[in-house]
């Protein structure tokens, strides 16, 4: 029997230029893979046509190359072959796990408010089991006929993360019955990511800790599709000096902007290496040097400290220091 190589993926969504936090997660995923001899796939998660733009895809790929990251084989785009996602929907259909949701998000919100549910602004209202259509008859996958939701049964799911330990998630209360195929006729992220991870033989998922709860849902979806689970490595987030999450944007502190301003990529990597305690100062280094200095045990210890502190803050002078003449 031949052993398949361990495989990870770089999976950016082309919804904006990469900021330092995105760059750090991609760099760490790549460095871990390269230092362990894993295969790396580049997958562009471009299904959401209203938010994705090929212009961003070009910027992101150029930015990753500029940093010195590489990958094995051709770039995969989720938009290129949607049939495999439809196939997964048919599996759920056979299992009677999907239904077409008659309600829009706004209607759900109104129903939740009418029921006295505390309104948390910015958080999507979940569609609970009580909100499933009353008619218990079977629904079939009919793209374009409305949001298709996956029925989530009550109970907790345990995610074993190799960096941050074990976490239990109550999927029904966190996600309700999540949308797996949208009313504008496209597979939703939670479905597409699992189908691709299974199909592309992803053994190790390395990404930001904001997706940790999603790992619970993705385990459930993988199980329904009869697939195995990847190993999870969730990374602490890089925060701004005030402790806020960085957001994808079109601004002057993105990789594309650094590139255009002629800042050497080694400076960016040197700064990122400092934020993950690989070095005390931001001494410039290449991606290759970052891999050479990468030590999994040291990495795990840093993640434990950083995750406990809620992430790592950039310093107020970090981006201006990057721009200064050496
Ligand atoms: N495409 C997602 C993003 O850019 C990452 C998805 C994942 O790693 O599972 O945030």
């Amino acid at each position: 029997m031949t052993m398949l190589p361990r495989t990870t993926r770089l999976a950016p969504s082309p919804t904006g230029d990469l900021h330092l936090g995105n760059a750090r997660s991609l760099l760490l995923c790549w460095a871990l893979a390269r230092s362990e001899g894993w295969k790396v796939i580049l997958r562009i998660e471009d299904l959401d046509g209203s938010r994705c733009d090929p212009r961003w895809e070009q910027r992101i790929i150029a930015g990753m190359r500029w940093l010195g990251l590489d990958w094995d084989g051709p770039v995969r785009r989720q938009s290129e072959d949607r049939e495999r996602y439809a196939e997964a929907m048919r599996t759920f259909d056979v299992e009677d796990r999907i239904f077409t949701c008659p309600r829009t998000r706004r209607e759900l919100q109104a129903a939740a408010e009418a029921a006295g549910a505390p309104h948390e602004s910015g958080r999507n209202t979940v569609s609970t089991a009580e909100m499933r259509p009353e008619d218990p008859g079977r629904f079939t996958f009919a793209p374009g006929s409305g949001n298709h939701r996956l029925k989530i049964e009550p109970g907790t799911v345990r995610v074993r993360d190799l960096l941050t330990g074990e976490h239990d998630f109550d999927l029904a209360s966190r996600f309700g019955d999540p949308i797996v195929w949208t009313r504008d006729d496209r597979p939703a992220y939670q479905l597409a990511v699992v189908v691709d991870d299974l199909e592309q033989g992803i053994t190790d998922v390395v990404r930001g800790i904001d997706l940790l709860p999603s790992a619970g849902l993705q385990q459930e979806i993988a199980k329904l599709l009869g697939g195995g689970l990847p190993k999870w490595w969730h990374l602490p987030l890089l925060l701004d000096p005030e402790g806020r999450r960085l957001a994808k944007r079109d601004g002057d502190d993105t990789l594309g902007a650094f590139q255009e301003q002629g800042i050497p990529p080694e400076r960016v990597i040197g700064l990122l290496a400092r934020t993950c305690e690989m070095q005390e100062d931001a001494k410039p280094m290449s991606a290759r040097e970052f891999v050479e200095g990468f030590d999994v045990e040291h990495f795990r210890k840093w993640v434990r400290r950083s995750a406990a502190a809620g992430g790592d803050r950039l310093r107020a002078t970090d981006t201006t220091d990057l721009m200064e003449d050496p």
Side-chain angles (χ1 to χ4, degrees):
M1 199 177 83
T2 48
M3 288 279 286
L4 292 172
R6 295 231 338 228
T7 305
T8 190
R9 77 300 199 276
L10 303 166
S13 304
T15 53
D17 206 347
L18 298 173
H19 56 59
L20 285 169
N22 305 131
R24 187 174 79 161
S25 294
L26 294 168
L27 177 67
L28 285 167
C29 173
W30 175 83
L32 175 63
R34 291 302 183 221
S35 70
E36 299 289 304
W38 305 344
K39 198 172 150 192
V40 179
I41 286 180
L42 173 58
R43 179 166 78 219
I44 303 292
E45 304 209 322
D46 60 350
L47 286 170
D48 186 349
S50 63
R51 296 175 61 227
C52 298
D53 188 329
R55 181 172 65 108
W56 291 126
E57 179 187 315
Q58 294 313 319
R59 289 272 282 198
I60 289 173
I61 294 181
M64 288 167 62
R65 288 219 170 95
W66 174 76
L67 273 186
L69 310 192
D70 61 358
W71 42 91
D72 307 303
V75 179
R76 318 279 188 105
R77 281 179 200 82
Q78 291 188 316
S79 60
E80 274 165 6
D81 173 16
R82 290 164 35 121
E83 178 48 32
R84 57 187 190 273
Y85 311 119
E87 195 52 48
M89 289 298 286
R90 287 192 279 270
T91 307
F92 298 151
D93 210 349
V94 172
E95 311 270 320
D96 197 15
R97 290 296 293 258
I98 50 167
F99 63 93
T100 316
C101 179
R103 295 183 161 105
T104 61
R105 274 184 209 282
R106 191 165 304 160
E107 285 164 353
L108 277 177
Q109 183 86 39
E113 277 163 23
H119 174 62
E120 288 178 61
S121 64
R123 207 169 154 221
N124 288 336
T125 305
V126 300
S127 174
T128 61
E130 298 75 53
M131 294 181 180
R132 288 175 195 162
E134 270 162 31
D135 176 2
R138 287 201 53 154
F139 293 89
T140 48
F141 176 44
S145 66
N147 283 323
H148 286 57
R149 293 184 179 273
L150 181 68
K151 295 180 198 165
I152 293 292
E153 302 310 337
T156 54
V157 166
R158 175 158 297 176
V159 173
R160 293 192 168 82
D161 185 87
L162 293 180
L163 292 173
T164 62
E166 298 193 345
H167 309 266
D168 288 334
F169 294 107
D170 177 343
L171 299 184
S173 68
R174 186 177 279 267
F175 295 98
D177 291 331
I179 295 174
V180 281
W181 201 280
T182 68
R183 57 214 292 263
D184 58 2
D185 190 18
R186 68 177 167 80
Y189 158 72
Q190 301 287 7
L191 172 69
V193 77
V194 175
V195 170
D196 285 341
D197 285 346
L198 291 174
E199 197 202 80
Q200 294 164 4
I202 303 300
T203 56
D204 294 81
V205 170
V206 189
R207 62 185 181 187
I209 203 162
D210 50 334
L211 288 170
L212 181 65
S214 289
L217 179 57
Q218 291 164 14
Q219 286 189 183
E220 194 62 13
I221 295 178
K223 207 169 76 190
L224 287 172
L225 295 176
L229 301 183
K231 293 181 170 49
W232 305 111
W233 309 71
H234 285 93
L235 303 166
L237 299 184
L238 186 60
L239 308 170
D240 73 9
E242 282 77 46
R244 290 178 304 231
R245 276 178 56 169
L246 304 174
K248 270 206 186 140
R249 66 190 98 206
D250 181 9
D252 57 5
D253 54 354
T254 59
L255 281 203
F258 296 147
Q259 205 180 341
E260 274 158 17
Q261 288 164 45
I263 293 165
E266 291 79 10
R267 281 216 208 158
V268 175
I269 296 182
L271 167 62
L272 295 177
R274 191 205 73 212
T275 68
C276 51
E277 298 179 6
M278 260 174 74
Q279 59 180 1
E280 300 220 329
D281 52 21
K283 189 160 60 61
M285 65 165 85
S286 66
R288 202 29 62 202
E289 286 162 336
F290 188 91
V291 176
E292 280 159 15
F294 188 87
D295 173 82
V296 179
E297 274 326 300
H298 180 270
F299 168 61
R300 281 175 192 267
K301 287 194 189 121
W302 159 68
V303 170
R304 267 197 291 278
R305 277 194 298 275
S306 167
D312 312 283
R313 288 184 190 205
L314 285 165
R315 296 178 191 159
T317 52
D318 278 341
T319 35
T320 43
D321 287 351
L322 274 180
M323 321 257 177
E324 240 142 60
D325 282 337

